[in-house]
């Protein structure tokens, strides 16, 4: 441990990990009954797959999945560029440390502590890269499920079961994609550690507030909720 790491730095780092892990756990695993964007879209995907099983021509469905796969590829490629830049910065870490240290709004740290902060960013973007590539693989699995789906007419019970399974597979892919995109947000919070532990903690809390608002209290959530509620009413006997 470098000598200039304070107790507050350790608390800030633990706060960062707890916020990221806690938010992911709540959003992806514990909000099954809470109406937020992710839960609305789970229902929307099920309705989508039901309509897909009623169509002879599924070009539109394949195009929609392909569009999301392109997004995964874009983010994974961007992640690699960011990682290459961060790893390359270690080759000139002395200059980077001096440059950051001369800024009036950053805290003065030893080179070793500066390198640890850089390593945190490397770890975050590496995590994001694995998430994006896993999402891309899962979308490939979804393509296989959609391509193997029988043509209409499909019996009602069989259609419901298939729609549920394909939608569930797609939801798993979306969770991985969301996990990768979340890494970008928390990387911005980790960057604030250069300004000091208090800025690090405040930035982490700000990221949680932003993500929570977008999930449950934004205009987008309201629009999606209205559409999904209408779809649910149409399926009621």
């Amino acid at each position: 441990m470098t000598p200039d790491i304070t107790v507050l730095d350790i608390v800030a780092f633990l706060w960062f990990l707890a916020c990221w892990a806690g938010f992911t756990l709540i959003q992806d695993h514990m909000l099954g009954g809470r109406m937020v964007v992710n839960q609305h879209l789970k229902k929307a995907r099920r309705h989508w797959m039901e309509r897909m099983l009623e169509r002879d021509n599924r070009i539109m469905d394949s195009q929609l999945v392909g569009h999301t796969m392109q997004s995964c590829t874009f983010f994974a490629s961007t992640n690699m560029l960011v990682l290459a830049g961060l790893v390359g910065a270690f080759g000139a870490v002395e200059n980077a440390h001096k440059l950051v240290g001369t800024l009036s709004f950053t805290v003065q740290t030893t080179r070793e502590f500066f390198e640890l902060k850089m390593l945190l960013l490397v770890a975050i973007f590496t995590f994001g890269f694995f998430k994006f590539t896993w999402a891309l693989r899962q979308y490939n699995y979804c393509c296989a499920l959609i391509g193997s789906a029988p043509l209409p007419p499909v019996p009602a019970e069989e259609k419901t079961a298939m729609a549920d399974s394909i939608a569930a597979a797609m939801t798993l892919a979306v969770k991985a994609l969301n996990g990768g995109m979340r890494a970008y947000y928390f990387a911005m919070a980790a960057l604030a550690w250069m300004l000091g532990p208090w800025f690090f903690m405040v930035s982490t809390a700000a990221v949680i507030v932003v993500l929570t608002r977008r999930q449950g209290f934004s205009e987008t959530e309201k629009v999606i909720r209205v559409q999904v509620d209408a779809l649910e009413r149409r399926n009621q006997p």
Side-chain angles (χ1 to χ4, degrees):
M1 182 179 294
T2 60
D4 58 332
I5 295 181
T6 65
V7 174
L8 188 57
D9 284 305
I10 297 174
V11 170
F13 178 67
L14 294 176
W15 167 253
F16 172 79
L17 293 180
C19 286
W20 190 353
F23 184 84
T24 300
L25 179 64
I26 292 171
Q27 282 291 326
D28 292 347
H29 304 287
M30 298 178 62
L31 284 182
R34 175 72 171 91
M35 291 296 98
V36 294
V37 171
N38 287 350
Q39 300 304 318
H40 297 325
L41 291 178
K42 284 176 66 175
K43 295 180 180 180
R45 290 183 204 103
R46 190 188 70 245
H47 288 289
W48 173 17
M49 291 302 108
E50 288 178 351
R51 300 294 82 77
M52 182 273 295
L53 290 167
E54 296 170 357
R55 286 192 280 264
D56 290 319
N57 189 333
R58 294 165 182 173
I59 295 177
M60 181 188 71
D61 305 292
S62 61
Q63 288 178 334
L64 291 172
V65 175
H67 173 73
T68 310
M69 293 174 68
Q70 289 176 358
S71 298
C72 290
T73 304
F74 168 77
F75 280 113
S77 301
T78 304
N79 241 5
M80 287 300 296
L81 294 175
V82 174
L83 280 172
L86 288 171
V87 173
F90 280 98
V93 69
E94 187 68 35
N95 293 332
H97 177 238
K98 288 181 180 179
L99 176 62
V100 173
T102 58
L103 299 176
S104 60
F105 49 84
T106 58
V107 294
Q108 301 296 319
T109 63
T110 61
R111 174 178 168 175
E112 291 78 8
F113 194 14
F114 178 77
E115 290 175 350
L116 286 177
K117 293 177 180 180
M118 293 285 290
L119 281 173
L120 176 61
L121 291 173
V122 170
I124 291 172
F125 282 104
T126 300
F127 173 83
F129 174 76
F130 279 106
K131 280 291 186 179
F132 287 129
T133 52
W134 177 226
L136 185 59
R137 288 186 64 186
Q138 288 181 299
Y139 272 113
N140 278 299
Y141 303 154
C142 291
C143 289
L145 295 177
I146 292 173
S148 65
L151 294 174
V154 181
E157 291 186 2
E158 186 178 347
K159 182 180 74 173
T160 300
M162 286 189 176
D164 287 343
S165 62
I166 299 174
M170 191 170 293
T171 295
L172 292 174
V174 171
K175 283 183 179 180
L177 175 60
N178 288 341
M181 295 182 70
R182 244 175 249 143
Y184 277 83
Y185 287 91
F186 284 98
M188 296 301 295
L191 188 61
W193 203 359
M194 300 294 181
L195 307 180
W198 282 113
F199 285 98
F200 188 17
M201 288 190 285
V202 171
S203 297
T204 302
V207 166
I208 294 295
V209 171
V210 169
L211 293 177
T212 301
R213 179 190 173 279
R214 291 181 178 180
Q215 276 290 315
F217 305 98
S218 63
E219 291 298 319
T220 301
E221 185 275 331
K222 295 177 184 177
V223 171
I224 296 174
R225 171 163 35 92
V226 170
Q227 172 72 2
V228 171
D229 288 345
L231 291 172
E232 291 288 287
R233 287 194 296 270
R234 284 176 61 90
N235 275 16
Q236 289 178 354

